Amino acid sequence: MLIVTTNDVPGHRVEEVLGEVFGLTVRSRNVGSNIGAGFKSLVGGELKGITKMLHDSRQEALERLSEEAAAKGANAVLAFRFEANEYASTGTEICAYGTAVRIAPA
């Protein structure tokens, strides 16, 4: 599955637009991560536990987006984006979205 942030793929034409696709995950932070983040915020620096959680969340959202696009018969996703929001002060929502298309060499 080709996933790009652009609206087209050089050297290819869009044969069919199959619609919007999404990959969504909501992750809560564990107690240890929250306590560690609190201490770390006193001295500054990277919050490695939270960084790992966000990286893993993005990967999961991207995989779900790819699966949804494949289920629609797509071989590419155009105009791909991520969106992240805090959820109820206890976790993070990560949404991957774009337009599922079928492309072919021009």
Side-chain angles (χ1 to χ4, degrees):
M1 180 71 57
L2 178 65
I3 300 174
V4 297
T5 59
T6 57
N7 293 327
D8 56 16
V9 177
H12 291 76
R13 68 180 184 285
V14 175
E15 292 187 322
E16 186 176 2
V17 175
L18 302 166
E20 294 177 334
V21 286
F22 298 90
L24 181 67
T25 186
V26 178
R27 297 276 183 101
S28 64
R29 295 177 283 250
N30 67 47
V31 172
S33 180
N34 283 340
I35 292 170
F39 286 129
K40 190 67 167 184
S41 69
L42 296 173
V43 295
E46 181 181 6
L47 305 174
K48 291 183 180 180
I50 294 175
T51 299
K52 181 176 178 356
M53 180 200 69
L54 289 173
H55 177 269
D56 293 347
S57 297
R58 283 182 174 230
Q59 285 303 115
E60 183 172 45
L62 185 57
E63 288 170 16
R64 290 178 178 178
L65 169 113
S66 182
E67 289 169 4
E68 185 174 323
K72 288 186 172 195
N75 63 356
V77 175
L78 302 180
F80 165 73
R81 303 286 187 270
F82 275 120
E83 186 173 303
N85 295 296
E86 188 171 349
Y87 179 74
S89 299
T90 59
T92 304
E93 169 198 31
I94 304 287
C95 181
Y97 62 95
T99 303
V101 296
R102 193 170 302 118
I103 61 173

